[in-house]
Amino acid sequence: QGFYLGGREGSAGLPNLMQSYLDIPTFTYLNHCHNDTTQFQITNTSNINSANWDFGDSGNASSGNSLTPTHVFSEPGIYNVTVNEVFNGNSFANTEEVTIFPNPDVDLGPDTIFLYPGASFTLDAGPGYDYYYWNNSTQSTGQYYVASDTGIYYVTVVDTNCCYNIDSIRILPSKVYLPNAF
């Protein structure tokens, strides 16, 4: 079952086809972290009268009937999301896996600590994050932050999936009086 070349011979063959170029997802999605509002968009909306969605989330059973629906997944995990496209009374269903990542678990310790006047305290946001933003900084400064004054300190950590979480701690002045002589 070859291809007739009109009496001629071929030695190089037909060009190879990279099939992965044709593997276009039915839909794309943004915001893939837990508690995010995930936005869906159909890749090719031509010849679609309507679309119905099943997000595969038994903990948060909702569905959409839009070309660009949103959904908040109940837990991190892998979900089979199905879109049923309708055109001229014909229905075409496609299912793809959607991964929802957990938010990083950041903990600065107890919510309040007391600091002696003139002392400092090193705050530790924990290892393993890609970025650490202390006190609304625009630059990542690292896992540790030295607090030398009272107030509220907070850190935003970002992991490799671009998911983030925030924790804060309040540092109050210590009201312990230490006499210099007895």
Side-chain angles (χ1 to χ4, degrees):
Q1 293 197 7
F3 183 75
Y4 181 66
L5 298 176
R8 296 186 172 93
E9 293 182 11
S11 61
L14 296 174
N16 291 333
L17 175 65
M18 297 294 290
Q19 292 183 6
S20 62
Y21 290 142
L22 302 177
D23 188 21
I24 300 171
T26 306
F27 58 86
T28 58
Y29 62 98
L30 298 172
N31 304 330
H32 57 259
C33 300
H34 185 226
N35 294 326
D36 280 351
T37 300
T38 305
Q39 302 171 343
F40 294 88
Q41 182 171 359
I42 295 176
T43 305
N44 183 359
T45 57
S46 62
N47 298 326
I48 297 177
N49 297 117
S50 65
N52 296 312
W53 297 79
D54 179 0
F55 299 108
D57 186 4
S58 61
N60 191 0
S62 66
S63 61
N65 57 5
S66 165
L67 299 180
T68 56
T70 60
H71 182 75
V72 178
F73 288 92
S74 59
E75 295 293 327
I78 298 174
Y79 295 88
N80 289 318
V81 176
T82 302
V83 59
N84 190 18
E85 300 171 358
V86 179
F87 178 67
N88 287 343
N90 295 316
S91 181
F92 307 95
N94 293 296
T95 301
E96 296 192 26
E97 286 187 348
V98 170
T99 302
I100 302 299
F101 296 100
N103 292 325
D105 186 26
V106 60
D107 185 11
L108 292 176
D111 290 340
T112 304
I113 62 170
F114 295 93
L115 188 66
Y116 291 116
S120 64
F121 186 79
T122 301
L123 302 172
D124 182 359
Y129 303 114
D130 287 2
Y131 301 99
Y132 299 83
Y133 299 102
W134 290 93
N135 297 334
N136 207 19
S137 171
T138 58
Q139 292 183 334
S140 179
T141 56
Q143 173 181 344
Y144 303 103
Y145 187 84
V146 178
S148 57
D149 202 2
T150 58
I152 297 176
Y153 293 84
Y154 57 95
V155 63
T156 303
V157 296
V158 182
D159 67 10
T160 58
N161 299 312
C162 295
C163 297
Y164 70 92
N165 208 348
I166 300 171
D167 193 25
S168 64
I169 190 168
R170 173 177 283 183
I171 298 179
L172 297 175
S174 176
K175 298 189 185 225
V176 174
Y177 174 70
L178 297 175
N180 59 3
F182 288 97

